[in-house]
Amino acid sequence: MNHLTIQEQTIIRQILSETNKKNIDNISRTDAYFTFFKKNPEIIWSFLASMVSRNGGWNMCDLEGSIFPHLLDAKIRKQLFLTYERANWLIFHDVFPQLLLYQYSTKINRPMFHLLPYFNVSVFIQKEWKRYWKENDRKRLTTALIINEQNVIQTPVIEHPVYNKKVFHSMFFSFQDWLHFSCVLFPTCGGEVYGASVNGFKSLSKRINLGKRLASILFHPRLFPCFLEFAEKTPHTGSRYDYEQYFKIRSVRKTPLLRTSFPVIAHHRHTYEDWSKHRNVSPAWLYVSARHRHPIHLTDWYFAKSNQLQFLLALQKVFELKKWE
């Protein structure tokens, strides 16, 4: 950094400090993405990141809710939480400096993307930010950010030996993946739920495709104002009661608040490897548009899945009683 100006060195230090400050837990990350979006609404990916991050928090809190503690032992639940948390942390650690550097560039009306290498981000995304500055193609940048962040977690999380063995090859994960219990949901204040289910989560291409499908739902001209209203009106707590409170059927809180359930985890990134130097970018990732093979309106689906989980819980209790007879 010796050849950088004092101003550039200061920018780098400030961005790293701000990123670390906001990368504490799922709540702080979700809020940081949304705050950034409100200041920079042209970077639509940041709203997508905020809404997907909400889902990450809801999935975490489900582990300590009214059902999963009866279906999964504490060790498995802890491993699942750490998997969600690690992926959350890595994505934020990678992308938030990019967002802040863009924001600074707009303030001085001059691109500062030559500083991106100092934040250890991929060559792929460095080129995409420079392209966006010239062409102002929001859809292209959104797709590029989806591609980048899913690649960022592929090796250190999805393919990591510990997570791979204890989480992604566990019976629970296969069962959850098969039944589409893991679903990214976009709620509204009118008590409706939209979204898409995650099937084949271990597949990089399927996760990128999911990201593109979610973006097309979130920014649908008719639906976007409803999702934005929900985000503005509803503080993120991690509890599914965040959106179940708007259901027409009276709802009670079944999952706890995130900050009363989980500790703050200290993360470290010991090594950095630029994924784009050893993994080719598939043309399909960039150029094939999202296609919805299933309905995106999931309100009825959500209640059906909730009933299935209640049924599983009832079965579990029956088996436990049989053991004691």
Side-chain angles (χ1 to χ4, degrees), residues 61-78:
C61 286
D62 281 352
L63 299 171
E64 297 299 320
S66 60
I67 292 179
F68 285 115
H70 299 284
L71 300 176
L72 301 169
D73 67 42
K75 196 173 179 183
I76 293 173
R77 284 184 283 120
K78 182 181 178 183

Side-chain angles (χ1 to χ4, degrees), residues 207-259:
R207 291 199 315 277
I208 289 168
N209 178 261
L210 172 71
K212 292 194 287 187
R213 284 188 285 134
L214 291 172
S216 72
I217 297 166
L218 191 63
F219 301 110
H220 186 285
R222 183 175 57 83
L223 298 175
F224 172 71
C226 301
F227 302 137
L228 185 61
E229 180 195 22
F230 171 84
E232 289 272 22
K233 190 176 176 179
T234 317
H236 176 53
T237 71
S239 171
R240 286 200 187 262
Y241 191 70
D242 288 355
Y243 59 87
E244 288 179 342
Q245 64 183 309
Y246 298 113
F247 288 167
K248 292 169 179 65
I249 300 170
R250 198 82 184 142
S251 179
V252 295
R253 189 184 297 277
K254 296 182 191 128
T255 57
L257 308 179
L258 188 136
R259 283 182 169 164

